[in-house]
Amino acid sequence: MSRFLTEPKTAKTSFSADARKVNLTIGSSCMQGWRDTMEDAELVEVDLPGRGNVTCLAIFDGHGGDVVAKEVAKEIIPILVQTDGFKKFDGTDPTLLVSALRDCFLAVDDRLRETVGVDNRADEIGSTGLVVLVTPKFVISANVGDSRCIMSQKNSQKPIQMSLDHKPDLEAEKNRIVAAGGTVFRGRVSGGVAVSRSFGDFWFKRNEENNPNKKPWDHLVIAEPCVNVIQRDSHDEFLVLCCDGIYDVMSNEQVQRFVRDRLKEGKKPEVIAELLTDECLNKGSRDNMSVVIGPSTVKVSHATTAPKLNLSIGSSAMQGWRDSMEDADVVEVEIPGSVNGACFAIFDGHGGDFVAKIVAKEILSNIAATEEYKQYDGSEPRKMVTALSKGFLNMDESLRTNELTASTADEVGATGLLILVTEKHIFSANIGDSRCILSKSQNQTPIQMSLDHKPDHETEKLRIVAAGGTVFRGRVCGGVAVSRSFGDFWFKRNEEGKPEKKPWEHLVIAEPCVNVQPRDHVKDEFLVLCCDGIYDVMSNEQVQRFVRDRLKSGKSPKDTAELLMDECLNKGSRDNMSVIVVVFNAKKK
């Protein structure tokens, strides 16, 4: 019989972890609440042994005591990793983990008979079990009992319930119980336990005299899990694992909305888990409560080289906390024409992604079509400077005539940062606030190749005012937050009295700032191109130091780009993030 306190115990045990190999940040919290004892146990293992890059999240909700829940939490991973399915799993075939989890649950239950179940000590002590395995490609949920896991996706207001509540009055479960010789009375198996599947509870798993070889799945209460597999994609937002102390008072949709709203406010998963237990206590939950939250931080990453220029390149992009991904990037290790060069670019969209995507697709061809680009032979950098400036303006003008953007890009735009590396020079052209730094060996301060085009920057503000606009709260006419961009045509209109307004006379313009640095094949160390989602939380010097330290430790440019985004996510960045790291493999003198 459950016993309750006169006042709830609201002290929490909470922690956080990063599972970088599977792109998860994790927070968990548990509270005893009104119960006279704490019978829940939870488990977070960010890196299981093996070849598959597997993270394990689990909750075990005990009843009749805590001994079974604690023993399962202790034994389940050692038994799981010894199953044939787990040993064979290399990240590609999720059915191996399905069979591994099933075998593991049954083996754990058998082990309990030999440990806590000796001398009938666990006849009426048991535990639910919810185990979620996350790999780079899949999420696999296995459960017995009524602890629950939901998967939230950014494009849906209704979460996916990955687990199944094993209640005795569920039709399929009731039929199984009756077929095994039992009854369901007041929602309990033979009037006893309130779940139809669990670890322990061995009174309900006895072999009758006339059926001595009863199989584990033939008992009144069984430990065979229901297993569900979902393939991960870019819409994945977060997982929430909870015991029934949460879902007794909140629906799946309410939990999804609660977690989503707090994530958008910038709260960390650990804090949100604590707030969720408080919310449920206030809503009347009388049970122990345990919560594990795992937001997804899926990245799209690439690695390549430019052998002719002696470059190593890594890029990565992450949607982060935004409800959509509006960034686009370009990595071209060979550029059109006769000049040996490579192009790297980031376009950070706002109001939508289509301007950024179109510019990423067409910008290089617009630059290459200019006469100055065609005349450039590598010796006169001023020709490339002119080509870049004309290419940006031509690109913006072509957006006005593009059927996808002509009538829809009034308040949709994108910053633009483009770098050309040749044998003799590094060219940077940018509009907006994406940024490129050049690090030179032995220098502690990098060279900022780009200029942040913010409306309250003195020269930009003067230009905006001269064009008839204002700067209000750091925005052009209270609207767009950058003073130069592609698209944003509401801010590039021709007035009646000035029908021939030049492109550079508008409130927001697409004329780039172009910078040239001569190549130094000894001192040039690396370039880092980032959108403002990085520089919102890190300075140029911090980025330089972070990248330099990771490269010195042997990390590849791609790994370094991914780690830089993780660092900024942990520092509180709320934006999409895109990073390109270009390493100059310095030639010896």
Side-chain angles (χ1 to χ4, degrees), residues 256-271:
Q256 178 193 42
R257 191 159 52 247
F258 185 95
V259 173
R260 178 180 279 167
D261 289 347
R262 272 68 188 175
L263 287 172
K264 286 183 177 179
E265 291 170 3
K267 292 183 169 59
K268 294 184 177 181
E270 176 187 340
V271 174

Side-chain angles (χ1 to χ4, degrees), residues 291-303:
V291 178
V292 180
I293 297 174
S296 176
T297 55
V298 175
K299 305 176 184 72
V300 178
S301 305
H302 301 283

Side-chain angles (χ1 to χ4, degrees), residues 184-474:
V184 175
F185 179 66
R186 292 183 177 176
R188 292 176 176 265
V189 180
S190 300
V193 69
V195 288
S196 55
R197 303 193 186 198
S198 69
F199 295 109
D201 293 315
F202 292 123
W203 189 93
F204 302 91
K205 299 175 182 176
R206 290 179 174 175
N207 287 317
E208 295 85 6
E209 289 182 10
N210 62 348
N211 195 1
N213 297 316
K214 207 169 192 181
K215 302 297 183 184
W217 49 87
D218 291 330
H219 294 288
L220 302 179
V221 173
I222 63 176
E224 185 173 15
C226 288
V227 186
N228 191 10
V229 180
I230 290 180
Q231 187 162 344
R232 297 181 68 178
D233 66 30
S234 60
H235 295 300
D236 294 346
E237 190 175 15
F238 54 81
L239 293 166
V240 186
L241 290 71
C242 300
C243 62
D244 65 331
I246 300 296
Y247 290 108
D248 283 346
V249 295
M250 292 182 76
S251 67
N252 292 354
E253 290 76 15
Q254 287 173 322
V255 170
Q256 178 193 42
R257 191 159 52 247
F258 185 95
V259 173
R260 178 180 279 167
D261 289 347
R262 272 68 188 175
L263 287 172
K264 286 183 177 179
E265 291 170 3
K267 292 183 169 59
K268 294 184 177 181
E270 176 187 340
V271 174
I272 298 170
E274 293 177 343
L275 292 172
L276 184 57
T277 60
D278 288 336
E279 179 75 4
C280 291
L281 189 72
N282 293 334
K283 286 180 176 287
S285 179
R286 303 283 290 172
D287 207 349
N288 300 148
M289 287 179 278
S290 295
V291 178
V292 180
I293 297 174
S296 176
T297 55
V298 175
K299 305 176 184 72
V300 178
S301 305
H302 301 283
T304 189
T305 59
K308 293 180 181 179
L309 293 164
N310 209 20
L311 305 177
S312 296
I313 306 109
S315 66
S316 192
M318 179 201 295
Q319 185 170 324
W321 297 117
R322 293 279 188 178
D323 61 357
S324 61
M325 180 58 170
E326 297 178 334
D327 290 0
D329 57 35
V330 173
V331 174
E332 293 287 347
V333 296
E334 292 185 1
I335 59 175
S338 59
V339 175
N340 181 19
C343 174
F344 313 104
I346 287 176
F347 306 100
D348 182 357
H350 48 262
D353 64 357
F354 57 85
V355 169
K357 287 182 176 179
I358 292 171
V359 175
K361 181 180 177 182
E362 299 181 4
I363 184 69
L364 194 52
S365 60
N366 273 274
I367 295 168
T370 63
E371 287 302 317
E372 289 78 8
Y373 184 92
K374 295 173 183 176
Q375 295 167 7
Y376 178 69
D377 61 3
S379 61
E380 294 184 75
R382 62 183 178 82
K383 289 187 180 295
M384 183 59 77
V385 170
T386 303
L388 288 167
S389 183
K390 286 185 176 181
F392 270 54
L393 292 172
N394 292 344
M395 179 71 249
D396 198 52
E397 189 59 32
S398 73
L399 290 171
R400 288 184 182 271
T401 58
N402 187 307
E403 61 181 19
L404 292 175
T405 57
S407 61
T408 55
D410 270 9
E411 296 182 42
V412 181
T415 70
L417 169 65
L418 186 142
I419 305 296
L420 288 180
V421 179
T422 69
E423 291 180 339
K424 294 182 178 181
H425 300 96
I426 303 169
F427 298 90
S428 168
N430 86 289
I431 52 178
D433 55 3
S434 295
R435 192 182 300 175
C436 175
I437 61 169
L438 168 62
S439 177
K440 290 180 175 287
S441 59
Q442 300 178 343
N443 286 5
Q444 301 307 309
T445 300
I447 298 168
Q448 182 169 325
M449 298 276 299
S450 54
L451 178 66
D452 294 352
H453 295 122
K454 297 289 193 181
D456 48 12
H457 188 281
E458 186 176 1
T459 55
E460 293 295 283
K461 186 174 183 178
L462 291 173
R463 182 188 59 73
I464 292 165
V465 172
T470 61
V471 175
F472 179 66
R473 293 182 177 176

Side-chain angles (χ1 to χ4, degrees), residues 11 17 35 72 95 137 180 217 251 267 281 293 369 381 429 555 564 582:
R35 295 276 188 177
V72 176
T95 62
K137 293 183 178 180
W217 49 87
S251 67
K267 292 183 169 59
L281 189 72
I293 297 174
K555 301 292 185 186
L564 180 58
V582 181

